[in-house]
C-alpha cells in the first residue's frame, strides 16, 4: 500500500545573515535523501500566523543544490512573532497541520528560537522542530564559544569596509564614526574594530549602569580624539555597536531630529528608526565647536550591507553541517525528554549537539538567553589594549593630563572633571 512521505517545512525568521541558503540547501538535500517531502515556507511565520497555507514552495534537490554560495534567503524572511497572542499561535499551528508538516526547521536568532520553542510546545507532539542558530550579532549562548552562523562572514566583510574607511580617514585627515549592528551584544562591533585595527570600538557591555546618555558616548569619543591629537594624529575611525541605543533613555533620544521611538513584533526598540551615527556625530561636533574647535567628521552605518553578503567558506562549511544535523536530529529518537518536541542544533567539540529550548531560556525573563561580550576576558582585554582611548593612567599622569587639557582648551582640573566619568578601565573589566 502506497503511503505519502512525511513532510518537512523550512522557514527563516529575523534579519538576513550570510549562510541562510546554505543551511536551507543542506537541510533540504538530506531530508529528500531520507525520504521526506520538503516545502519552503515563505516569509517566516508571517503567513502561517495569518492562517494562510498558500505561501509555500516545494524544494527539490535540483532547486537547492547550488544555492549554498548565495547571500540572502530564497525563502525570504520576516520578523513576525507567532506568539504575540493566542490567536496567532493557534493559527500558526493550524496552518502547519493543514500543510501536513510533521517536521519543521527554523533558521533564525534569539527571537525565532523563542518562537520555535513556543510553536513546538503548543503543537504538543504533532510537530517536531529543529532550530538552526543564525545571526550576525553572535548573541546566542552556543557551547564552547562557537559563533552563530553569519557572524564570521559579517565580520570579514565589515572589516574590509572599515579598512577602506581607515585609509580614507588617513588620506583626508578626518574622523569616521561607524555604527555596526548588534542589538544587545557588541560582538560584531568589537570583532570588526579589533580585526581592522580601528582607533577604538564602543560596545554596550562596557557600561555597567542600566542607562547611559548620548553625551556619555560623545565624551568617550571626544576623549579618544583628543588623545589621538596629542599623539600627533587628527584622523581616526571609531566602531560603535548600535545596541548602546537600547541603554539610552528613549525620551532623550526622542529629542533629536529624525528619531522615532517604536517597537518591533517582539517588543524591542526599533533601532533602525534611530539615526544613531548622525546623533553621535552631531553631538561630538557640538562639543568641539563649543570650545572653538573645527574638525571633519563623517558618520557611517554598517549593517544592512553585511546581512545578505555571500557567505565565506567558514559559514558555508558550518551551515552545511548544521542543516544536515537538523534533519538527523528530527528523524532520530530523542535522547532526552526535554528534546521530545525539538531543540537547537549546534556543534560541541566538532560534533553535532542539541540544546533543549528550556536550556536556552533565561529563567528570569522566560526569553532566549543572550550571549554578551565578556569584558573580563582576554579577548576583550587585547582589543582594549590596542585601542586609543582615555584611560585611568592618562589622568593620573600630570604631564599627559596637561597636554590633553591644552588640546581641549581646558584647565587640567576641568578636563579631569569632564572626563573622569568615562575613564573606567585600567587593564581589568570596566
Amino acid at each position: 500500500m502506497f503511503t505519502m512521505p512525511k513532510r518537512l517545512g523550512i522557514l527563516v525568521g529575523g534579519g538576513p545573515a550570510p549562510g541562510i541558503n546554505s543551511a536551507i540547501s543542506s537541510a533540504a538535500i538530506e531530508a529528500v535523501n531520507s525520504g521526506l517531502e520538503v516545502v519552503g515556507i515563505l516569509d517566516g511565520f508571517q503567513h502561517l500566523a495569518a492562517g494562510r497555507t498558500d505561501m509555500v514552495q516545494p524544494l527539490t534537490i535540483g532547486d537547492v543544490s547550488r544555492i549554498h554560495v548565495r547571500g540572502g534567503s530564497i525563502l525570504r524572511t520576516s520578523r513576525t512573532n507567532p506568539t504575540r497572542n493566542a490567536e496567532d499561535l493557534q493559527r500558526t499551528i493550524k496552518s502547519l497541520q493543514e500543510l501536513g508538516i510533521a517536521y519543521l526547521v527554523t533558521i533564525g536568532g534569539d527571537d525565532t528560537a523563542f518562537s520555535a520553542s513556543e510553536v513546538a510546545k503548543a503543537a504538543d507532539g504533532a510537530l517536531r522542530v529543529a532550530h538552526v542558530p543564525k545571526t550576525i550579532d553572535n548573541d546566542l549562548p552556543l557551547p564552547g564559544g562557537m559563533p552563530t552562523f553569519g557572524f564570521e562572514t559579517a565580520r570579514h566583510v565589515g572589516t574590509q569596509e572599515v579598512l577602506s574607511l581607515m585609509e580614507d580617514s588617513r588620506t583626508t585627515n578626518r574622523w569616521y564614526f561607524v555604527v555596526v549592528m548588534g542589538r544587545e551584544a557588541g560582538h560584531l562591533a568589537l570583532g570588526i574594530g579589533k580585526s581592522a585595527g580601528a582607533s577604538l570600538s564602543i560596545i554596550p557591555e562596557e557600561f555597567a549602569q542600566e542607562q547611559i546618555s548620548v553625551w556619555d558616548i560623545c565624551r568617550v569619543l571626544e576623549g579618544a580624539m583628543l588623545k589621538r591629537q596629542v599623539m600627533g594624529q587628527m584622523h581616526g575611525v571609531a566602531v560603535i555597536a548600535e545596541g548602546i541605543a537600547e541603554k539610552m533613555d528613549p525620551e532623550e533620544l526622542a529629542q533629536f531630529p529624525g528619531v522615532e521611538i517604536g517597537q518591533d513584533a517582539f517588543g524591542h526598540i526599533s533601532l533602525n528608526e534611530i539615526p544613531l551615527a548622525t546623533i553621535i556625530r552631531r553631538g561630538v561636533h557640538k562639543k568641539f565647536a563649543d570650545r572653538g574647535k573645527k574638525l571633519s567628521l563623517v558618520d557611517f552605518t554598517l549593517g544592512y550591507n553585511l546581512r545578505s553578503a555571500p557567505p565565506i567558506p567558514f559559514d558555508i562549511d558550518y551551515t552545511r553541517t548544521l542543516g544536515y544535523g537538523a534533519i538527523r536530529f528530527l528523524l532520530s529518537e530523542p535522547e532526552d525528554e526535554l528534546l521530545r518536541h525539538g531543540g537547537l542544533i549546534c556543534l560541541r567539540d566538532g560534533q553535532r549537539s542539541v540544546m533543549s529550548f528550556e536550556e536556552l531560556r533565561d529563567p528570569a525573563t522566560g526569553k532566549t538567553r543572550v550571549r554578551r561580550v565578556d569584558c573580563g576576558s582576554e579577548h576583550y582585554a587585547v582589543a582594549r589594549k590596542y585601542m586609543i582611548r582615555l584611560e585611568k593612567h592618562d589622568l593620573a599622569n600630570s604631564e599627559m593630563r596637561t597636554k590633553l587639557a591644552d588640546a581641549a582648551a581646558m584647565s587640567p582640573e576641568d578636563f579631569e572633571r569632564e572626563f573622569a566619568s568615562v575613564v573606567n578601565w585600567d587593564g581589568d573589566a570596566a
Side-chain angles (χ1 to χ4, degrees):
M1 179 180 176
F2 176 77
T3 58
M4 293 290 291
K6 287 190 174 181
R7 180 176 279 189
L8 173 122
I10 303 175
L11 64 79
V12 183
I20 288 174
N21 285 328
S22 179
I24 293 171
S25 172
S26 60
I29 290 171
E30 179 58 19
V32 171
N33 285 338
S34 299
L36 300 178
E37 179 185 356
V38 182
V39 295
I41 300 169
L42 301 177
D43 307 310
F45 285 106
Q46 177 181 336
H47 307 297
L48 299 177
R52 294 182 60 180
T53 58
D54 59 324
M55 298 298 286
V56 298
Q57 63 183 49
L59 294 179
T60 66
I61 291 178
D63 294 325
V64 301
S65 64
R66 308 315 302 162
I67 66 172
H68 58 285
V69 297
R70 291 171 50 184
S73 167
I74 65 164
L75 300 178
R76 302 193 296 265
T77 183
S78 78
R79 294 191 181 277
T80 300
N81 179 5
T83 72
R84 183 173 49 184
N85 55 59
E87 291 76 18
D88 282 359
L89 183 57
Q90 288 306 309
R91 277 193 293 268
T92 299
I93 300 300
K94 186 171 184 292
S95 299
L96 290 167
Q97 289 173 342
E98 290 179 2
L99 285 167
I101 304 293
Y103 305 108
L104 180 66
V105 173
T106 57
I107 302 171
D110 57 336
D111 290 330
T112 307
F114 176 77
S115 296
S117 67
E118 292 296 292
V119 167
K121 186 192 302 181
D124 195 25
L127 176 73
R128 198 155 184 230
V129 180
H131 182 71
V132 179
K134 167 272 311 174
T135 171
I136 65 172
D137 293 354
N138 195 31
D139 59 359
L140 281 169
L142 304 185
M146 282 295 294
T148 52
F149 87 73
F151 169 75
E152 293 291 356
T153 298
R155 180 171 66 166
H156 175 82
V157 176
T159 296
Q160 298 304 311
E161 295 259 13
V162 170
L163 285 170
S164 295
L165 294 178
M166 288 169 64
E167 189 58 37
D168 190 82
S169 166
R170 184 194 63 79
T171 301
T172 59
N173 222 33
R174 60 163 54 118
W175 270 84
Y176 277 93
F177 293 165
V178 183
V179 169
V180 174
M181 285 186 168
R183 173 176 295 282
E184 294 186 67
H187 297 285
L188 188 58
L190 189 69
I192 289 173
K194 185 177 180 181
S195 299
S199 305
L200 72 155
S201 300
I202 304 176
I203 61 175
E205 291 91 336
E206 295 171 349
F207 301 90
Q209 59 268 48
E210 289 187 8
Q211 193 168 86
I212 60 176
S213 167
V214 171
W215 302 108
D216 292 328
I217 305 303
C218 291
R219 286 189 192 92
V220 173
L221 290 164
E222 186 184 8
M225 295 167 74
L226 291 168
K227 188 171 179 177
R228 284 276 288 173
Q229 185 176 330
V230 167
M231 297 168 69
Q233 302 291 345
M234 299 298 293
H235 66 272
V237 174
V239 181
I240 305 160
E242 69 170 356
I244 62 172
E246 284 215 334
K247 300 200 73 167
M248 295 176 180
D249 182 356
E251 292 185 4
E252 180 190 24
L253 286 171
Q255 295 174 6
F256 291 91
V259 173
E260 296 181 16
I261 303 296
Q263 292 187 333
D264 64 17
F266 290 89
H268 305 302
I269 291 176
S270 296
L271 296 179
N272 62 319
E273 302 293 339
I274 301 173
L276 184 63
T278 302
I279 290 171
I280 293 172
R281 175 182 59 80
R282 289 173 177 171
V284 172
H285 191 275
K286 180 180 186 306
K287 289 178 75 65
F288 275 89
D290 287 346
R291 294 196 300 271
K293 302 283 185 178
K294 290 185 178 180
L295 71 163
S296 181
L297 284 175
V298 178
D299 63 78
F300 189 87
T301 298
L302 187 61
Y304 288 107
N305 45 334
L306 307 182
R307 303 192 308 170
S308 289
I312 61 174
F314 175 91
D315 277 321
I316 295 176
D317 182 321
Y318 188 20
T319 49
R320 293 203 123 181
T321 301
L322 293 177
Y324 171 89
I327 303 307
R328 298 322 315 153
F329 163 69
L330 290 174
L331 296 179
S332 66
E333 289 295 324
E335 299 175 3
D336 189 314
E337 179 61 22
L338 290 175
L339 301 177
R340 184 166 59 92
H341 297 323
L344 177 143
I345 310 303
C346 58
L347 296 182
R348 198 186 302 263
D349 297 326
Q351 301 298 314
R352 182 180 82 240
S353 182
V354 184
M355 297 177 67
S356 72
F357 289 128
E358 288 304 314
E359 188 180 354
L360 286 170
R361 295 199 182 204
D362 183 329
T365 65
K367 301 292 185 180
T368 305
R369 288 187 290 116
V370 174
R371 176 171 64 188
R372 295 179 172 84
V373 173
D374 178 4
C375 290
S377 67
E378 188 169 32
H379 167 67
Y380 176 79
V382 171
R384 186 69 180 250
K385 287 284 188 179
Y386 286 88
M387 294 183 200
I388 305 298
R389 288 174 70 156
L390 280 184
E391 309 292 5
K392 289 181 179 180
H393 58 80
D394 294 318
L395 296 185
N397 184 309
S398 60
E399 182 181 355
M400 184 62 172
R401 187 173 69 248
T402 298
K403 289 180 179 180
L404 289 165
D406 288 345
M410 301 169 72
S411 71
E413 294 75 22
D414 286 343
F415 183 88
E416 185 165 358
R417 277 192 292 269
E418 175 73 9
F419 291 97
S421 64
V422 295
V423 177
N424 58 5
W425 196 81
D426 58 3
D428 298 315

